[in-house]
Amino acid sequence: METKFRCNCPFTSALDIIGDKWMLVIVKQMLIENKQTFKDFTESDEGIATNILTAKLKQLEEFGIIIKTRLPNNKKSNIYLLTEKGLAMTPIIIELGIWSDNHLRELNPTIVSGKGMELLRTDKAEFGRVMEQQYREKLATTMYIKS
């Protein structure tokens, strides 16, 4: 796959890869909501169409942000896992959550609250550590992360 970048700006180059409205949603679902299977993603509240989901998962895999593999005890179902490159997007997800919490509640009063959001508000570094630790612990019971 050949990726065409619009220019040599690092911000624009990143957005050329992850600026699509679904890319960060899928990464967030994997990191925070522990989604791994195609079915997990299709059953999410975001309501991504299956054809779009298929294309975005393939792109994320081609960019090295996720891998597609199978569980050792279930060779039928594909699962999707974040790579180290994908996990490195945790701070981006965190900053988007903080920005949304601070600036979008008046537009979307149904944005979730609770312990997770409180930790995000008070200690984003700890929130990030917790998310990554939980993700890695879950992986340790199933597989390992490939870079």
Side-chain angles (χ1 to χ4, degrees):
M1 178 193 83
E2 183 180 333
T3 303
K4 302 271 186 194
F5 292 98
R6 288 178 271 188
C7 65
N8 62 359
C9 171
F11 301 100
T12 303
S13 295
L15 290 171
D16 286 338
I17 301 291
I18 61 169
D20 171 276
K21 81 177 200 177
W22 290 111
M23 299 300 237
L24 286 177
V25 170
I26 293 168
V27 172
K28 180 268 310 182
Q29 289 175 337
M30 295 176 78
L31 178 66
I32 296 175
E33 300 170 15
N34 298 313
K35 302 217 183 276
Q36 290 185 322
T37 66
F38 193 87
K39 183 178 179 189
D40 290 341
F41 295 114
T42 60
E43 293 176 347
S44 68
D45 291 340
E46 287 85 357
I48 186 170
T50 56
N51 61 323
I52 294 171
L53 177 60
T54 298
K56 298 309 171 188
L57 289 170
K58 184 177 180 181
Q59 287 176 324
L60 286 167
E61 187 177 11
E62 289 171 350
F63 298 146
I65 295 169
I66 66 171
I67 59 166
K68 179 171 76 172
T69 189
R70 296 178 192 267
L71 290 171
N73 60 350
N74 180 352
K75 300 295 182 186
K76 292 182 180 179
S77 298
N78 290 321
I79 61 168
Y80 299 90
L81 305 172
L82 293 169
T83 62
E84 289 297 327
K85 188 187 292 188
L87 274 174
M89 296 172 74
T90 301
I92 298 167
I93 302 295
I94 289 170
E95 291 300 330
L96 279 172
I98 291 169
W99 180 83
S100 177
D101 187 51
N102 289 334
H103 301 287
L104 298 183
R105 283 196 178 274
E106 63 188 35
L107 297 173
N108 183 2
T110 65
I111 291 176
V112 297
S113 291
K115 289 182 181 181
M117 285 305 298
E118 188 58 37
L119 179 58
L120 181 61
R121 285 184 202 111
T122 58
D123 191 346
K124 68 181 178 183
E126 179 63 15
F127 181 87
R129 279 191 293 277
V130 168
M131 289 297 100
E132 285 191 22
Q133 180 183 0
Q134 287 176 349
Y135 190 83
R136 290 178 190 281
E137 287 172 0
K138 185 169 188 266
L139 277 180
T141 62
T142 56
M143 313 213 73
Y144 60 94
I145 299 173
K146 292 183 181 179
S147 299

